[in-house]
Amino acid sequence: MSVGDVAGLIAAIAFVLLVGFLAVPLIKLGRVLDETRTSVKEITDHTVPVLDETATLVASSNTQLENIDTVTTAAAQVSENVSALTSLFAATVGGPMIKMAAFSYGVRSALSGLAASARRSR
């Protein structure tokens, strides 16, 4: 065996050791990628039902908002009707009631004035 053969053998052994040292991180990287793939698959499996439930919830919320809009519109109409009825009542009954109150005040004042003058004349 010559010196060149020994040098070649040492170089071959060094190359095998280098390949062995580089293989360990590559194997670990492969495991990390496998775990990442598994995690992404689990996240996808859990996310799809949540998205479906969210879409159903949004559709249900839209239906409820339409119902609320109907109720709000009806409440606004009732409020307008009550306002119109109040105005009509005030115009119809308010004027005569004010006149009746003024008349009764005048009658009371007149009667109290007559009673006072009758007491003075005794």
Side-chain angles (χ1 to χ4, degrees), residues 70-114:
T70 303
V71 169
T72 304
T73 303
Q77 288 175 349
V78 166
S79 175
E80 289 174 10
N81 291 342
V82 167
S83 176
L85 185 62
T86 304
S87 298
L88 178 66
F89 182 77
T92 306
V93 179
M97 287 183 85
I98 291 172
K99 290 178 184 177
M100 181 61 94
F103 177 74
S104 67
Y105 177 74
V107 168
R108 274 185 298 168
S109 296
L111 290 178
S112 67
L114 285 175

Side-chain angles (χ1 to χ4, degrees), residues 1 4 8 16-17 21 29 31 33-34 37 41 44-45 48 72 76 81 84 87 90 96 102-103 106 119-121:
M1 204 181 230
V16 168
L17 290 176
F21 284 130
L29 181 63
R31 287 182 189 153
L33 291 175
D34 287 340
R37 182 184 53 82
K41 183 180 180 300
T44 303
D45 290 343
V48 171
T72 304
N81 291 342
S87 298
F103 177 74
R119 276 187 256 148
R120 280 188 242 157
S121 51

Side-chain angles (χ1 to χ4, degrees), residues 54-79:
T54 304
T56 304
L57 178 65
V58 168
S60 174
S61 297
N62 287 337
T63 303
Q64 294 300 323
L65 285 175
E66 290 172 3
N67 292 340
I68 290 172
D69 186 43
T70 303
V71 169
T72 304
T73 303
Q77 288 175 349
V78 166
S79 175

